[in-house]
Amino acid sequence: PLLWIRIPLPGPVQGLSCDALTLKPPLMLEWFRDLVETVTCLRDKVDGKGFSSDFVRKAGEQSQRKMWVEETPHPYPNNARATSEVEFPGADHLTIHFDHRCKLEDGTDMMFLSALAPGQSDIGKFSGPLSGTPFPKDPVVVPGSKVIWTLISDPSETDWGFCFTVVPHYPPADETQRIEWQNEVVSLAEATQSVWTQAMDQQLVAFVNAAGKKE
């Protein structure tokens, strides 16, 4: 039998208030692919099948994969002095995807991006197209595991503000970790071919959490 599940579009998660449909296509495709894999897994469980080794491996990988959205009010206030840091421990670089509506009072209000300290612009500074500092349409790559943004606005006009999504990217595991990971995946995948029990639920959760810490 087919398993039909009605799933709403993603709502606010971890500060997420950007419209999910404004994310760049790679992010939307990744979300849709994960959804299809989850539904397939649930259908297999209804049919009495166990978890595949591929599903268990991806579950461990995705235990680390997160994203975070930073956003101003729309419009943002005058006389703003705001800064915030986003960090993903263990990531070797981040990619930042800006909403297409991002815009500040051109040339006077400014957003600074830095991997070092508040108010610095080693990654970039953005305001608007007239001042030659438009918000980028393509993802911005930030080396390391953290990014710091700073917003400064003057007393006069404002505009829509900004909204951006930060996606971490982690280094691959070394060869020893990879072999240990493969052995654990095979062992757990074989165990799931028998009748599923509550103890196996707990084992799967513990395995995924441990894999996330290893990576």
Side-chain angles (χ1 to χ4, degrees), residues 50-189:
F51 291 112
S52 68
S53 58
D54 188 54
F55 175 83
V56 175
R57 176 182 59 80
K58 288 182 179 178
E61 292 173 351
Q62 291 173 4
S63 68
Q64 263 200 328
R65 194 182 309 161
K66 305 172 184 176
M67 62 178 65
W68 187 269
V69 173
E70 291 286 305
E71 184 172 20
T72 65
H74 307 298
Y76 60 93
N78 286 316
N79 296 313
R81 298 291 187 275
T83 188
S84 182
E85 177 180 301
V86 180
E87 183 170 14
F88 294 90
D92 60 7
H93 70 281
L94 312 173
T95 52
I96 297 179
H97 304 256
F98 284 96
D99 189 292
H100 68 279
R101 295 167 289 185
C102 290
K103 190 179 179 186
L104 306 180
E105 184 187 4
D106 208 341
T108 56
D109 298 346
M110 194 70 66
M111 175 203 178
F112 302 91
L113 272 185
S114 173
L116 303 174
Q120 295 193 22
S121 57
D122 48 287
I123 302 301
K125 59 180 180 180
F126 314 108
S127 180
L130 296 179
S131 60
T133 55
F135 283 86
K137 296 180 180 179
D138 296 324
V140 174
V141 179
V142 180
S145 61
K146 72 176 181 180
V147 63
I148 304 166
W149 65 261
T150 303
L151 172 67
I152 298 177
S153 65
D154 68 5
S156 58
E157 301 177 9
T158 64
D159 212 305
W160 190 79
F162 65 76
C163 176
F164 63 86
T165 304
V166 185
V167 181
H169 302 269
Y170 297 94
D174 63 30
E175 185 64 17
T176 302
Q177 288 177 319
R178 188 185 67 79
I179 293 174
E180 291 177 354
W181 171 261
Q182 274 188 334
N183 292 337
E184 290 174 348
V185 165
V186 170
S187 175
L188 185 58

